[in-house]
Coordinates of all heavy atoms in Angstrom, one line a residue:
S97 N -16.9 -1.7 -9.4 CA -17.1 -2.7 -10.4 C -16.0 -2.8 -11.4 O -16.3 -3.0 -12.6 CB -18.5 -2.5 -11.1 OG -19.5 -2.5 -10.2
F98 N -14.8 -2.7 -11.0 CA -13.6 -2.8 -11.9 C -13.5 -4.3 -12.4 O -13.6 -5.2 -11.6 CB -12.4 -2.4 -11.2 CG -12.2 -0.9 -11.1 CD1 -11.1 -0.4 -10.4 CD2 -13.0 0.0 -11.6 CE1 -10.9 0.9 -10.3 CE2 -12.9 1.4 -11.5 CZ -11.8 1.8 -10.8
D99 N -13.2 -4.4 -13.7 CA -12.8 -5.7 -14.2 C -11.3 -6.0 -13.7 O -10.7 -5.1 -13.1 CB -12.9 -5.8 -15.7 CG -12.1 -4.7 -16.4 OD1 -11.1 -4.2 -15.9 OD2 -12.4 -4.4 -17.6
T100 N -10.8 -7.1 -14.1 CA -9.5 -7.5 -13.7 C -8.4 -6.5 -14.1 O -7.5 -6.1 -13.3 CB -9.1 -8.9 -14.2 OG1 -10.1 -9.8 -13.8 CG2 -7.8 -9.4 -13.7
E101 N -8.5 -6.0 -15.3 CA -7.5 -5.1 -15.9 C -7.6 -3.7 -15.1 O -6.5 -3.2 -14.8 CB -7.8 -4.8 -17.4 CG -6.6 -4.4 -18.1 CD -5.4 -5.3 -18.0 OE1 -5.5 -6.5 -18.0 OE2 -4.3 -4.7 -17.9
K102 N -8.7 -3.2 -14.8 CA -8.8 -2.0 -14.1 C -8.3 -2.1 -12.6 O -7.7 -1.3 -12.1 CB -10.2 -1.4 -14.1 CG -10.6 -0.8 -15.4 CD -12.0 -0.1 -15.4 CE -12.3 0.5 -16.7 NZ -13.7 1.1 -16.7
G103 N -8.7 -3.3 -12.1 CA -8.2 -3.6 -10.7 C -6.7 -3.6 -10.7 O -6.0 -3.1 -9.7
K104 N -6.1 -4.2 -11.7 CA -4.6 -4.3 -11.8 C -4.0 -2.9 -11.9 O -3.0 -2.6 -11.3 CB -4.2 -5.2 -13.0 CG -2.7 -5.3 -13.1 CD -2.4 -6.2 -14.3 CE -0.9 -6.2 -14.6 NZ -0.6 -7.0 -15.8
L105 N -4.7 -2.1 -12.7 CA -4.2 -0.7 -12.9 C -4.3 0.1 -11.6 O -3.4 0.9 -11.2 CB -5.0 0.0 -14.0 CG -4.7 1.5 -14.3 CD1 -3.2 1.6 -14.6 CD2 -5.5 2.0 -15.4
L106 N -5.4 -0.1 -10.8 CA -5.5 0.5 -9.5 C -4.3 0.2 -8.6 O -3.7 1.0 -7.9 CB -6.8 0.2 -8.8 CG -7.1 0.7 -7.4 CD1 -7.1 2.2 -7.4 CD2 -8.3 0.1 -6.8
F107 N -4.0 -1.1 -8.5 CA -2.9 -1.6 -7.7 C -1.6 -1.0 -8.2 O -0.7 -0.6 -7.4 CB -2.8 -3.1 -7.7 CG -3.7 -3.7 -6.6 CD1 -4.9 -4.1 -6.9 CD2 -3.2 -3.9 -5.3 CE1 -5.8 -4.7 -5.9 CE2 -4.0 -4.4 -4.3 CZ -5.3 -4.8 -4.7
E108 N -1.4 -0.9 -9.5 CA -0.2 -0.3 -10.1 C -0.1 1.2 -9.7 O 1.0 1.7 -9.5 CB -0.1 -0.5 -11.6 CG 0.1 -1.9 -12.0 CD 0.0 -2.2 -13.5 OE1 -0.3 -1.3 -14.2 OE2 0.2 -3.4 -13.9
L109 N -1.2 1.9 -9.7 CA -1.2 3.3 -9.4 C -0.8 3.4 -7.9 O 0.0 4.3 -7.6 CB -2.6 3.9 -9.5 CG -3.1 4.3 -10.9 CD1 -4.5 4.8 -10.9 CD2 -2.1 5.3 -11.5
F110 N -1.3 2.6 -7.0 CA -0.9 2.6 -5.6 C 0.6 2.3 -5.5 O 1.4 3.0 -4.8 CB -1.7 1.7 -4.8 CG -1.2 1.7 -3.3 CD1 -1.6 2.7 -2.5 CD2 -0.4 0.7 -2.9 CE1 -1.1 2.8 -1.2 CE2 0.1 0.8 -1.6 CZ -0.3 1.8 -0.7

Side-chain angles (χ1 to χ4, degrees):
S97 302
F98 281 176
D99 59 22
T100 306
E101 203 55 41
K102 285 184 179 178
K104 181 180 175 185
L105 180 57
L106 177 63
F107 275 91
E108 288 172 0
L109 284 175
F110 178 78

